[in-house]
Amino acid sequence: MWRRSGARALLLLRSSIRRTLPPPPPSPLRALTRAPPPPRPLSRFLSSSPEPLPDAAGGAASAPSDPADAGEDGLASDPTEAGEDNLASLWEEDAGDADDVFAADASPDPADAVVDEVLAARVRAVVESTPEDQIPSALADMVVDFNEPLLAAILVSAAESCSGKKLLLLFKSAGKNNPAAKSLANLEIVVDKIADSDGIDKMDVYLLWDLVKEMGAVPGSVNTQVLNKLLAMFWKLEKSKAALEAFDMFSELGCAPDGDSYYLAIQAAGRKSMVDAAWRVCEGMVGSGCFPDGEKVGDIVTFFCKKKKVKEAHSVYMAAKEKKVQALTSALTFLVSALARNDETINTALELLEEYQGESLKDAGQSYAAVIHGLCKTNNVEDAKKVLTRMVNLGPAPGSAVFNFVITALSKNGEMEDAKGLMRVMENQGICPDIYTYSVIMGGYAKGGMMDEAHALLRDAKKIHPRLSRVTYHTLIRGYCKMEEFEKALECLKEMKEDGMEPNMDEYNKLIQSLCLKALDWRTAENLLKEMEDGGLCLKGTTRSLIAAVKELEMDELQEGIMH
């Protein structure tokens, strides 16, 4: 308490001394431009009405109003002298605190400066009412002695009603009058105004960029935040080359790019599909280890995936993860899906499935499906089965499409027991096998010549699905023709009609060709031809000729038999 009181007392003394000094003579130039400045207020460390100093008992010490009231302990009768003696003793008691306070108040603080509000209002009115191209000359005619606080006050007050271009011209004019007015804080006011405008003007941004480059010659006049806002404006304007130029000048302007700087430069390059330039910036980001937040890292990963730079996108994801920056799950899903579509990177996609843990597993369905599909496409059925088993046991819950991917791969490989067993797993999971599932397994049975099993599966499918697809019957007809069981093929064709599905050209064409080439049964083929024509279908000329050729061949054989 006494340490603070001593320092406060010394400041009070100092301020009272400063108030007794005569004011400096007014400048003739200033007298022409503005009213006399009011007295300088006390430092921001003091109130305008100092509190009485406490006495030793914690109460307020009052100076005696009469010299006779002075005590018998030898205190001076002059209240001013008494106060000075007491302050001197406090200084001796704790000189350290006073040194700190005087040091803090020794150099003028811009916050302490008094702004001529009348002059500020006059300048603002001129800026508001003057056309943009006439602002420099109008300000020159006013002969204003700008300083940093005065310019700041005008910029702040004019920002609501004036355009960014006007603030920029005001800033430049004030800087010509007094370069010290062109401070970083005042520059930020102008930058914010232009950046936050509803419609960013291209010429304003380029003028601002020229100003920033000019100020950047003086160390500390530009910072990373100002440059980032410029990058953002160039990005919005789709000026990719200008954004990359600004990014490349960070070091020259005495600034170090942060994560947002890299992000903005990459996104700006992406607006014009400058993928190589974007990757150059990205390499710098990875090398520096300076990443933006997880959402923006996800945007970068997604961008490179869309541009077919899947390996590069993966390297960015992993580098950010090493720096404890985790991209959003949506970006991870996009990355896994992109990796899974490429045969060379399917195993990388498989490894990335480990990234889904805990709550994120519920959003991993698309990624798991993409990986399983990719594994099946490359005939890596064993790994596909393992991933599917993991989904069944741990999640995310697989859908019918995921099961069908694996069932299709198993059926093509002739692993029919596994395929049919997987269909039972579907049912246990509460998933009803769809028509595609039945058709795929039936196709596998037909391919292996197991037509009884295939036809039995057709009957099972009818119990669940009242109307099957054309492919289901077509699979059986082709299978029976391959096995040269033409009677069963014709029965299947009849069953197809009874189930309300008219055969198309494929079914008729396959049957007629098989009957002619394998059974030499042109009569049945001719009946099918008539049936087609009655249904409005037209048989291909080659197949029609095939019926005539087989018929002619039989007639020739009969004639030869009669002759012999």
Side-chain angles (χ1 to χ4, degrees), residues 102-118:
F102 275 118
D105 200 40
S107 59
D109 191 323
D112 294 335
V114 177
V115 174
D116 187 335
E117 296 181 359
V118 174

Side-chain angles (χ1 to χ4, degrees), residues 165 237 249 278 407 436 464 468 492 554 564:
K165 178 72 169 292
L237 293 170
M249 288 190 66
I407 289 173
Y436 179 86
I464 302 174
L468 303 181
C492 190
E554 183 178 306
H564 292 290

Side-chain angles (χ1 to χ4, degrees), residues 167-224:
L167 294 191
L168 180 59
L169 293 172
L170 169 61
F171 183 90
K172 295 179 70 174
S173 298
K176 289 181 180 179
N177 173 269
N178 181 7
K182 294 168 58 176
S183 66
L184 174 58
N186 285 341
L187 175 64
E188 287 177 328
I189 298 173
V190 178
V191 172
D192 288 343
K193 173 62 180 181
I194 296 176
D196 295 338
S197 300
D198 293 335
I200 298 177
D201 185 82
K202 178 179 67 175
M203 295 308 300
D204 290 354
V205 177
Y206 277 106
L207 286 173
L208 179 62
W209 174 222
D210 289 340
L211 174 62
V212 168
K213 287 186 286 188
E214 176 188 330
M215 291 184 62
V218 179
S221 297
V222 178
N223 62 14
T224 298

